[in-house]
Amino acid sequence: MDIYIAIIVTLVGAATPILIAALGELVVEKSGVLNLGVEGMMLVGAIAGFAGQFYTGNPYFALLCGAFAGAASSLIFGFLTLSLSANQTATGLALTIFGTGFSALAGAPFSARPVQLMRPLFPAELATHPVWRVVFGYSFPVYFSFFMVVAIWWFLHRTRSGLTLRAVGENDVSAHSIGYSVQGVRYAAVLFGGAMAGIAGACFPLLLTPQWAERMTAGRGWIAVALVVFASWKPFRLLAGAYLFGLVMTMELYAKAGGGPLSAIPSELWAALPYLATIIVLVLISIRRDATSNAPACLGKPFLPSN
Amino acid sequence: MQFRLEKRPEPSRLMLYVTPVAAVLLTMIIGAIIFSLIGYDGIGAVREIFLTPLTNAYKWQDLGVKAAPLIIIGVGLSVAYRANVWNIGAEGQYIIGGLAGTWVALATYGMTGPWILPLMILAGVVGGMLYAAIPALLRTRLNVNEILTSLMLTYASVQLIYYLIRAPWKDPMGMGFPQTRLFSEAARLPTIIPGTIVHLGVPIAILVALVAWFIMTRSVFGYQMRAVGAAPHAARYGGFSENKTIWLAMLVSGALAGLAGVLEVAGPFQRMVPGFPTNYGFTAIIVAFLGRLNPLGVILAGIVMAITFVGGEVAQTTIGLPNAATGIFQAMVLFFLLAGDILVRYRLKRVVNQPAAGAA
C-alpha cells in the first residue's frame, strides 16, 4: 500500500513541471507560433526560482521569479520571430542554447548550496492517512497545474479571447483583415508560454532536487514540446500525457529500489527511457492517425502585417 | 520620423554576407556591455574570447583542432537545412560515430596495420548515418517530426556512452574510472604537423567542406537539395521526391556528424570517456547558420566558433570568466544573425508624412 502511495506522489512530482511547461507551449502553438526554446526558458526559470528561494526562502516569490525570468527570455524570442519575422525553429534553438549558457553562468555561485523544498499546500493533519496524502499531500504547483488545465481549456473554447487566439493561429491573414492584432495576440501567447516554462523550471529546485545543477531540466522542456503534439493540442490529453511520462520516470527509481527482474535492467536504460518513450509515443500517435491533422494551420509561419 | 519595412523584390546578396559579420561584431559590443553590467570585466572578456586566440600563435593549433569537428558537422547540417530538413540531433550522431569507432578500436586492440584507422572511420560514418536514419525513417514513413526524434535520440546516446564505459567496455586497468582503455597506436589519428596537436582531422574537415561546396553548387544532387528546400511544390513538379530528399539530407548530415565523432575519439580523446559529448553537435547548428548554409562559409563560421571555444578557456584562466559565458556569446551570435536576417528580405524605409497606417 505505502509503496503505491509513494509511487503516486513521486509520479505527480515528476509530471508537474512537464505539464506546466507543455500547457504554456500549447497556448503558444494555438496562436500559430512554434517556440522550441522551452528547454532554455525552463533553465532560466529554474535558476531564477532557485535564486528567489535562496535569498528569500519564500517559494511563492521563487515561483514568481521563475515566471518573470521565463517571460523575459521569451520576449527575446517574441521580438525576433514576431517583430523581425526570424525563423522560428532556429530562434527557438538559439533560445535554448542561450538559456543553457545563461543559467550555467548565473548558477555558478550557487553550486552545492541547498535550498528548502516547497512545503505541501494543505496542513499536515489533512494528509495523515496515506490515501488523503494522494489528494492533499502536494505543494502549490501541483494544484496550479490542474487548475491551469481546466482554465486553459475554458479560455480556448469558452471565451471570446480564446476564440481570437485560435483564429490567429488558424488563419493569421483573415484575423488581421478583420481587425485583430495578430502580433499582439502572439506576443501575449509567447509571454504566457515563457512564464509557464519559467514556473515549470522553478519547480525543479522547489519540488524535485533542492540544489542547483547545470542543465537540471535534462531535456524535460523538449518532452513538453513533444507532449503538445502527442496531445494533439488538447489540454486534457496533455494532462494524461504528462502523467504517463511521470510514470515512466518514476519507474526508474522504484525498479532500482524494488529488486526483482526490473533491477537487472541497466540504470542507463532507465535514464534513457523517457526520451525513448517520447519517440515511441510520437510514433504510436502518428500510426493511429495523421499526427498533424489537428495542428494550428499557421504553426511556425512568420507573419508581418506590413506585407 | 518613422520607419517601415518594405519587402525587397529579391533577397539582398550584400546583406546575406554583411549580416554574419555584423552579428559577430554586435555580439562583441553588446557582450562587453552586458558582461560589464553583471560585474565582469566586459571588455577583457571580449578581448580574451575573440582576440587572444587569434593574436597568440600558440593557440592556432587549438583553433584548428576545435574548428575541424564544427566544420565537418556544420557542412552536413547546412546540406540538411538547405533542404528544410531540421536535423537537430547531430550531437547524438556524433556520439554514435565516436562509439562505433571506439568499438572497432577495442575489437582490434593490440593489432597493427594501416587498415585499422580507415575501418574505424568507416564505422563512425556508418554509425552516424544509421542513427540519423531513424528520424529519417520516422519522418518519411509516419510524418513524425525529425526535430523531436533526433533530439531525443541524442539524450539516449549519452546514456549509451555511460552504460558502455561503465560495464562492457570499461578499461580493466582503469582503477574503476568509467572509461575505455587508451587506443593502441594504430587506432589513433596521426598528427600532421610534428610537435603540435594538429591531427589528420583538420585537413579532412577542409576537404569535406570543399567537396560539399562543389557538390552543392555543381551537381544535380545539390540542385535538388536547394530546390526542395526553397520551393517544395515546384520541386515536386520538377520530379524531385521530397522523401528522397529527406533521406539524403539526414544520411549526409548523420554521416558527417559520425565522421566528426570518430575523428574526435581517434584524435584528441584516444579513448571513450564520459566527457565525450562536447556540444559540438549543437554549436554546429550555429556554425551552419553563420556560414549561411554554404560549405565555404561554414569553414569561416567554424573558425569563429572555435575562437569562442578556445577564447572561453583563455578567459576562464586569465580573468576567471565562467566557462558558460562561451555559450552565451555563441547564442548571441545566433540571435543577432537571425535578427539581421530581416535586412536580407526587407529594407528599412523612412515613412514621411504618413498617418499611422503602418503602425497598426
Side-chain angles (χ1 to χ4, degrees):
Chain A
M1 180 72 185
D2 277 357
I3 178 106
Y4 294 111
I5 302 288
I7 287 177
I8 292 172
V9 171
T10 317
L11 184 164
V12 172
T16 297
I18 301 181
L19 178 57
I20 295 175
L23 282 167
E25 179 68 8
L26 183 143
V27 172
V28 176
E29 292 192 14
K30 272 287 185 188
S31 80
V33 180
L34 180 68
N35 185 354
L36 294 179
V38 179
E39 176 80 0
M41 298 189 294
M42 274 173 84
L43 280 165
V44 172
I47 187 57
F50 182 94
Q53 177 75 338
F54 184 83
Y55 287 118
T56 69
N58 182 338
Y60 297 95
F61 178 76
L63 285 174
L64 214 60
C65 290
F68 184 77
S73 60
S74 78
L75 208 55
I76 306 175
F77 174 86
F79 179 68
L80 287 180
T81 59
L82 300 177
S83 295
L84 300 180
S85 72
N87 180 309
Q88 293 181 8
T89 306
T91 310
L93 291 168
L95 184 56
T96 290
I97 297 171
F98 173 79
T100 310
F102 175 84
S103 60
L105 182 71
F110 296 114
S111 63
R113 301 177 77 172
V115 288
Q116 184 85 43
L117 276 181
M118 198 166 185
R119 271 192 274 280
L121 183 66
F122 296 105
E125 295 78 57
L126 269 178
T128 41
H129 191 276
V131 175
W132 288 121
R133 224 183 112 205
V134 173
V135 182
F136 293 114
Y138 313 105
S139 54
F140 169 77
V142 173
Y143 304 103
F144 171 75
S145 69
F146 292 142
F147 171 77
M148 288 310 277
V149 171
V150 181
I152 286 172
W153 175 84
W154 180 79
F155 169 79
L156 287 174
H157 298 281
R158 290 289 181 271
T159 69
R160 209 184 154 72
S161 317
L163 184 67
T164 308
L165 184 128
R166 287 189 293 141
V168 164
E170 291 296 341
N171 195 335
D172 47 15
V173 178
S174 304
H176 176 67
S177 65
I178 56 171
Y180 291 129
S181 165
V182 174
Q183 307 298 59
V185 168
R186 288 187 173 167
Y187 260 109
V190 164
L191 276 173
F192 174 77
M196 290 288 274
I199 293 172
C203 284
F204 281 82
L206 290 170
L207 296 188
L208 302 170
T209 39
Q211 269 188 355
W212 171 250
E214 269 182 39
R215 294 164 191 252
M216 74 186 300
T217 56
R220 302 295 189 254
W222 291 103
I223 293 180
V225 175
L227 267 185
V228 179
V229 182
F230 164 73
S232 53
W233 294 266
K234 295 188 168 96
F236 284 98
R237 280 203 201 159
L238 213 53
L239 179 76
Y243 276 77
L244 188 71
F245 274 89
L247 182 66
V248 171
M249 288 168 202
T250 310
M251 274 160 62
E252 179 190 356
L253 293 169
Y254 288 92
K256 266 188 279 186
L262 282 184
S263 61
I265 297 173
S267 61
E268 292 87 357
L269 184 59
W270 285 114
L273 204 55
Y275 311 108
L276 299 175
T278 307
I279 297 177
I280 293 167
V281 157
L282 288 173
V283 167
L284 289 177
I285 209 86
S286 57
I287 288 177
R288 214 152 51 84
R289 65 187 145 69
D290 185 8
T292 52
S293 62
N294 199 30
C298 294
L299 188 59
K301 289 184 193 154
F303 176 79
L304 263 192
S306 60
N307 292 347
Chain B
M1 193 164 62
Q2 219 180 350
F3 288 96
R4 197 163 63 92
L5 289 168
E6 191 184 80
K7 195 156 186 132
R8 294 177 193 271
E10 53 190 76
S12 157
R13 287 189 73 79
L14 175 71
M15 282 300 163
L16 201 61
Y17 300 118
V18 166
T19 41
V21 179
V24 174
L25 291 176
L26 264 176
T27 300
M28 292 163 73
I29 297 167
I30 307 289
I33 295 171
I34 291 179
F35 274 79
S36 300
L37 286 178
I38 59 175
Y40 291 100
D41 171 10
I43 291 172
V46 167
R47 190 187 55 232
E48 298 290 59
I49 288 184
F50 287 95
L51 298 179
T52 309
L54 283 174
T55 52
N56 181 346
Y58 187 71
K59 292 283 174 201
W60 291 353
Q61 45 174 324
D62 293 335
L63 284 184
V65 171
K66 289 269 189 219
L70 292 173
I71 292 170
I72 296 174
I73 305 172
V75 165
L77 290 182
S78 41
V79 171
Y81 297 166
R82 276 268 154 149
N84 241 338
V85 176
W86 290 93
N87 180 9
I88 302 301
E91 180 79 2
Q93 294 139 21
Y94 159 91
I95 287 170
I96 296 296
L99 286 174
T102 305
W103 177 57
V104 173
L106 295 179
T108 60
Y109 188 78
M111 296 184 203
T112 51
W115 51 275
I116 291 175
L117 206 54
L119 190 65
M120 281 173 70
I121 291 175
L122 183 68
V125 169
V126 172
M129 212 187 249
L130 287 177
Y131 215 50
I134 301 170
L137 182 74
L138 297 180
R139 164 80 196 268
T140 52
R141 284 293 176 85
L142 299 166
N143 206 16
V144 178
N145 184 316
E146 75 275 14
I147 297 178
L148 294 170
T149 47
S150 63
L151 201 86
M152 292 295 134
L153 286 171
T154 299
Y155 284 101
S157 67
V158 172
Q159 296 300 328
L160 185 60
I161 295 188
Y162 295 162
Y163 169 69
L164 289 172
I165 61 180
R166 179 181 60 86
W169 289 1
K170 190 172 169 179
D171 181 3
M173 317 293 246
M175 295 189 295
F177 283 112
Q179 58 183 29
T180 67
R181 55 192 355 164
L182 204 63
F183 295 170
S184 35
E185 193 66 46
R188 295 184 206 165
L189 212 56
T191 54
I192 51 161
I193 305 174
T196 69
I197 55 169
V198 179
H199 57 73
L200 196 59
V202 178
I204 291 178
I206 305 294
L207 191 69
V208 162
L210 292 178
V211 170
W213 175 79
F214 192 77
I215 291 175
M216 286 304 280
T217 53
R218 299 279 185 278
S219 75
V220 180
F221 169 81
Y223 180 69
Q224 175 177 352
M225 301 310 254
R226 288 181 287 133
V228 172
H233 293 291
R236 207 171 302 143
Y237 279 115
F240 293 138
S241 145
E242 197 179 352
N243 277 354
K244 200 177 143 201
T245 311
I246 294 170
W247 270 106
L248 286 171
M250 286 303 278
L251 292 183
V252 167
S253 53
L256 288 180
L259 173 64
V262 69
L263 293 177
E264 280 300 289
V265 80
F269 284 91
Q270 304 191 343
R271 62 163 29 129
M272 184 51 76
V273 293
F276 186 70
T278 33
N279 248 352
Y280 285 142
F282 292 109
T283 309
I285 296 171
I286 306 181
V287 168
F289 283 113
L290 191 63
R292 286 293 181 206
L293 308 185
N294 174 333
L296 298 184
V298 163
I299 297 179
L300 289 174
I303 295 170
V304 172
M305 284 297 120
I307 289 173
T308 65
F309 269 126
V310 174
E313 284 165 17
V314 174
Q316 203 178 358
T317 49
T318 53
I319 61 172
L321 196 71
N323 206 18
T326 312
I328 295 182
F329 277 104
Q330 291 179 349
M332 276 169 71
V333 170
L334 186 51
F335 277 143
F336 286 124
L337 182 73
L338 292 167
D341 267 354
I342 195 161
L343 297 173
V344 177
R345 287 166 294 133
Y346 293 84
R347 64 164 66 100
L348 269 179
K349 206 164 181 195
R350 218 170 90 189
V351 182
V352 212
N353 280 344
Q354 206 177 17

